Structure formats: structure tokens, C-alpha cells
Amino acid sequence: MGLKSEYRQALEEFRIRLCSDFKVRHMLPDLIGIITHDESDDLNRIPQNKALNSEFIKILMTRADQDFERFCQLLTESDSTAVRELGEDLKKAARIRTSNAGIPSNSNRDQLPFGEIIPLDPNASDPQRNAAEDQGKLI
């Protein structure tokens, strides 16, 4: 099934930090359950840490949402302040994306369903206010 898009986006946003700020190699034993023993062995054979981390992210993208959440939890439990902060930042980015999912942006106002009430900027110009009043959408 793979991760929901909001988790995927958070991983992509933090890809550079995930590939450089810590070493997945040191976490491999704790990642069993998110990855298999065979995948852990395969990852451990990759000599460069950035390449190993990148490959782990590819694997994580194919896993379930709870695997992503467990990975974030493992990061936040690290002895390293930088890794803990990375875990918190990743969780926060995923949470923000998840809470914003399905909320139309201002650029999508023309695509709102008929009858949808559009909040009007109190500093809006008169033409904008008049157009909203004409459509019966002024709140």
C-alpha cells in the first residue's frame, strides 16, 4: 500500500537532513519490524552512509503509515539532540500536512462547490466585496 501522501511529502521535504544528519546504520537493529532482517543486511552492505540512508527512505516510502510513525518515534528517542530534533521536525511536518489535507487554498476558490461560503478579507476592495454580495456569499 505505501505511505499516505502527506507522510511521503514530509520525507521528501526532509530528505537532505535524513541523508546527512544521522546514520541509519546505527539504527538498523531498532528498525527491524519496519524493515526485514534481509533488508537490514542489504542496507548494511552499502558502504556510504548517505546512500544507505537514501535507500532506507525508499524502503520506508513503501511501508505502512504506522511504520513511518514508529521511525519518527525512534528518532525522537535518540541520544543525539540533532537526531531528536530531526524526528520532532519530521513528525511536525507530517502532522501539519495531514491537518491541512483537503483544505482548499485561496487559488482554488473558483472550484468550491456551489453555495460554499467564502470568508472575505476585511480589507478587501469594494469591487471584491460587491462581487461577493452579488453572489450571496458574503459572511
Side-chain angles (χ1 to χ4, degrees):
M1 180 179 128
L3 293 178
K4 62 182 167 184
S5 64
E6 294 83 8
Y7 287 179
R8 289 170 146 295
Q9 291 168 3
L11 283 171
E12 287 299 332
E13 178 183 341
F14 284 86
R15 180 177 285 278
I16 292 172
R17 284 180 64 190
L18 287 166
C19 287
S20 61
D21 285 4
F22 78 108
K23 296 177 180 163
V24 169
R25 186 178 320 279
H26 297 300
M27 293 181 68
L28 287 174
D30 297 323
L31 294 172
I32 300 301
I34 296 173
I35 60 174
T36 66
H37 287 283
D38 289 342
E39 288 168 326
S40 176
D41 291 343
D42 291 344
L43 288 170
N44 208 26
R45 287 186 197 102
I46 299 172
Q48 300 86 8
N49 288 318
K50 287 183 181 182
L52 185 155
N53 290 18
S54 182
E55 191 60 32
F56 170 74
I57 293 168
K58 287 180 195 174
I59 293 170
L60 186 57
M61 293 270 202
T62 67
R63 297 305 195 254
D65 294 343
Q66 61 265 27
D67 294 325
F68 170 84
E69 293 160 3
R70 176 69 182 133
F71 174 63
C72 289
Q73 184 64 36
L74 288 170
L75 292 176
T76 61
E77 294 170 356
S78 173
D79 293 334
S80 164
T81 302
V83 174
R84 280 195 311 271
E85 289 174 357
L86 175 59
E88 289 298 331
D89 291 347
L90 185 59
K91 283 185 355 184
K92 184 177 174 182
R95 190 170 37 249
I96 289 169
R97 282 176 164 51
T98 300
S99 67
N100 289 339
I103 298 174
S105 68
N106 288 341
S107 63
N108 293 333
R109 284 190 172 183
D110 295 351
Q111 300 169 9
L112 291 173
F114 178 74
E116 181 85 20
I117 296 175
I118 302 171
L120 186 64
D121 179 359
N123 301 320
S125 64
D126 286 333
Q128 183 182 6
R129 181 174 293 283
N130 293 340
E133 286 174 350
D134 291 343
Q135 296 176 7
K137 296 180 180 179
L138 185 62
I139 59 170

